[in-house]
Amino acid sequence: MSGCPFAVNNYLLNFNKLSLEDEKDDKSQEGINKASKGGLVYGDYLQLNKILNAQELQSEKKGNKIHDEHLFIVTHQAYELWFKQILWEVDSVRVIFQNGHVRDERNMLKVITRMNRISMILKLLVEQFSVLETMTALDFFDFRYYLSPASGFQSLQFRLLENKIGVPQSLRVPYNRRHYRDNFKGQDYELLLKSEQEPTLLQLVEAWLERTPGLDAEGFDFWGQFEVNVLKGLEEEFALVQAKPESEEKDDDLSEFQKQKDVLLSLFDEKRHEHLLSKGERRLSYKALKGALMIYFYREEPRFQVPFQLLTSLMDIDVLMTKWRYNHVCMVHRMIGSKAGTGGSSGYQYLRSTVSDRYKVFVDLFNLSTFLVPRHWIPKMNPTIHKFLYMAEYCDSSYFSSDDSD
């Protein structure tokens, strides 16, 4: 006997039987079309009629419709929608801090979630430049003339975001030798002015770090003990280097040791910190810096795990904002070279000047790694502070609150 072991007629019979049974047991078709009865529908809920009809090509209005202008508009509108969501998240986090609700660990998890959401959105925005870069410089040149004097610098939401996070006004790069706010008028100007006067995320985080348990001299006195351990550790390291036989290698080791010593001892010079703060090279108060370093060192303690995640998320946001600026600079350079911007700025030259630490809000958190020391230099916790940081049921009213969440 050869051929298929299943007879053709039997196969068709079984297949038809299965099909009929499938129709009877098809759970995918048991729903009800509620929209047919009226009420809110998808397009109305999202107001798609407004959004999808908001792409007005200037080239078309001038009688010379350029295909890629549509991509340019849609991409920038998408940026602005995401900026709106980021502002929504930042404002909610600022409210939690301002109301003191951040003292409740439940709200700290909420803060972390929202900060991580901001990071995910920024990652998307960084990648979005690749969509714009499918347009060549010549494609952009075809309609760029129609855009003037509009400019990306005029993005109100991006300037609000910078202010609310905490970009220092004193460190902003002037725009054509004028204050950035001078490029806005009316209500936009007032919104920017108001955002400058409100507590920034940086200031709120600073106040939170200043309350880090274990900093007070009458308690654990982390800072005092840390300084003692650093001095002792440096003495031991110096003795080890000095014990080496005279050689060029020993001279190099002594030089490196002196550099490390200068860096670590500068950490305990409060006047130097205040001087750097006045120059804009430091952003956090001296006490907040102590708190951040303590969280950094004891991040494995249960009570410090979430605070450490927050500090990490703040650095992530700074990194992604810097990447966004850098990608923007690269794209502008590719598209217009060294030409002036449509708004009148120097274009690429101006944008390049904004990719620096002066726009990095949480730069002090990055610099914490400068002060890393061997683990055995880190002070051992006393039983009281260890219990506080380890046991969730052990609460200190100075650090935690029973206030309701936001």
Side-chain angles (χ1 to χ4, degrees):
M1 186 175 179
S2 63
C4 178
F6 300 103
V8 174
N9 289 337
N10 287 340
Y11 173 75
L12 289 175
L13 180 63
N14 289 334
F15 179 79
N16 290 334
K17 183 180 179 182
L18 285 171
S19 298
L20 289 172
E21 289 176 353
D22 285 347
E23 286 182 12
K24 292 177 183 177
D25 299 330
D26 187 359
K27 303 293 185 181
S28 69
Q29 300 301 314
E30 291 183 1
I32 301 172
N33 185 8
K34 292 183 179 180
S36 64
K37 300 178 181 179
L40 186 67
V41 294
Y42 180 80
D44 294 340
Y45 175 65
L46 297 179
Q47 298 192 52
L48 293 181
N49 187 50
K50 292 179 182 178
I51 295 173
L52 300 180
N53 288 287
Q55 295 75 44
E56 190 175 77
L57 278 63
Q58 293 300 306
S59 59
E60 186 175 19
K61 289 178 69 176
K62 300 295 193 298
N64 182 30
K65 182 179 178 181
I66 304 299
H67 176 85
D68 280 1
E69 187 183 357
H70 192 275
L71 171 68
F72 187 82
I73 293 173
V74 167
T75 304
H76 283 78
Q77 287 177 336
Y79 272 125
E80 291 296 333
L81 281 172
W82 282 123
F83 289 158
K84 183 172 184 179
Q85 184 63 37
I86 293 174
L87 286 170
W88 178 263
E89 304 296 348
V90 169
D91 283 341
S92 73
V93 169
R94 287 165 66 234
V95 167
I96 292 174
F97 272 100
Q98 284 179 281
N99 292 344
H101 292 163
V102 75
R103 296 182 179 185
D104 188 324
E105 288 182 323
R106 294 168 299 178
N107 286 321
M108 279 298 293
L109 291 173
K110 192 178 295 183
V111 167
I112 295 295
T113 298
R114 293 174 186 178
M115 298 305 287
N116 287 338
R117 181 179 296 161
I118 292 171
S119 291
M120 294 304 295
I121 295 171
L122 286 171
K123 286 179 183 178
L124 182 65
L125 299 189
V126 167
E127 292 300 321
Q128 193 167 291
F129 282 106
S130 60
V131 179
L132 266 182
E133 287 170 348
T134 61
M135 177 174 61
T136 68
L138 187 58
D139 294 332
F140 182 50
F141 183 79
D142 288 340
F143 66 87
R144 182 173 183 259
Y145 171 78
Y146 301 117
L147 307 182
S148 184
S151 165
F153 183 85
Q154 298 157 7
S155 170
L156 171 66
Q157 292 194 116
F158 191 74
R159 302 303 155 211
L160 287 171
L161 177 58
E162 290 176 328
N163 289 346
K164 293 185 178 194
I165 290 177
V167 172
Q169 300 304 315
S170 59
L171 295 182
R172 278 187 177 276
V173 178
Y175 186 79
N176 293 345
R177 297 186 175 84
R178 298 176 63 189
H179 193 279
Y180 87 99
R181 212 186 317 115
D182 292 342
N183 293 274
F184 298 86
K185 297 179 180 178
Q187 186 179 4
D188 290 352
Y189 183 95
E190 294 302 322
L191 283 172
L192 288 169
L193 186 61
K194 181 184 176 185
S195 68
E196 291 175 19
Q197 297 165 349
E198 295 172 347
T200 66
L201 183 60
L202 173 65
Q203 292 169 335
L204 294 166
V205 168
E206 177 185 67
W208 168 73
L209 285 170
E210 289 175 346
R211 296 196 304 271
T212 303
L215 290 181
D216 294 335
E218 59 271 18
F220 174 49
D221 190 19
F222 160 71
W223 202 246
Q225 292 192 54
F226 181 51
E227 183 175 8
V228 169
N229 287 7
V230 167
L231 291 172
K232 181 182 177 183
L234 287 173
E235 286 178 6
E236 293 172 351
E237 284 201 354
F238 180 70
L240 289 173
V241 176
Q242 280 288 70
K244 293 182 178 180
E246 295 299 327
S247 65
E248 187 176 334
E249 181 183 353
K250 179 180 178 179
D251 292 339
D252 290 341
D253 289 346
L254 282 170
S255 177
E256 285 302 312
F257 169 79
Q258 189 59 47
K259 290 177 184 176
Q260 180 194 22
K261 179 181 178 181
D262 291 343
V263 167
L264 290 176
L265 292 185
S266 71
L267 187 59
F268 304 103
D269 187 344
E270 186 171 357
K271 288 184 178 179
R272 182 176 181 276
H273 180 90
E274 295 301 327
H275 175 66
L276 294 174
L277 199 61
S278 67
K279 291 172 62 180
E281 294 180 24
R282 293 269 174 91
R283 306 293 166 79
L284 294 172
S285 70
Y286 192 54
K287 189 171 184 180
L289 184 69
K290 293 178 186 179
L293 195 60
M294 187 175 178
I295 291 170
Y296 201 86
F297 281 147
Y298 300 105
R299 60 190 178 275
E300 294 173 356
E301 295 294 331
R303 278 284 169 89
F304 277 170
Q305 288 175 8
V306 172
F308 178 71
Q309 288 178 47
L310 175 59
L311 298 187
T312 301
S313 70
L314 293 171
M315 288 191 285
D316 289 342
I317 288 172
D318 251 343
V319 166
L320 289 164
M321 291 282 284
T322 302
K323 285 182 177 180
W324 189 90
R325 292 180 194 278
Y326 179 74
N327 282 13
H328 188 203
V329 169
C330 291
M331 186 196 69
V332 167
H333 201 196
R334 173 184 291 193
M335 293 295 181
I336 68 171
S338 298
K339 292 187 181 118
T342 51
S345 75
S346 57
Y348 164 71
Q349 300 296 335
Y350 167 76
L351 291 173
R352 189 177 66 174
S353 69
T354 66
V355 185
S356 68
D357 281 357
R358 64 197 300 160
Y359 280 87
K360 195 179 284 183
V361 177
F362 299 97
V363 66
D364 289 352
L365 301 181
F366 290 85
N367 289 332
L368 290 179
S369 298
T370 308
F371 308 110
L372 288 180
V373 297
R375 286 182 183 267
H376 66 275
W377 291 17
I378 300 171
K380 301 296 182 186
M381 291 184 175
N382 61 39
T384 302
I385 190 67
H386 187 266
K387 184 178 181 182
F388 174 80
L389 295 178
Y390 187 78
M391 298 178 65
E393 69 270 21
Y394 190 90
C395 288
D396 180 347
S397 60
S398 68
Y399 193 61
F400 296 101
S401 164
S402 60
D403 293 341
D404 293 334
S405 67
D406 71 329

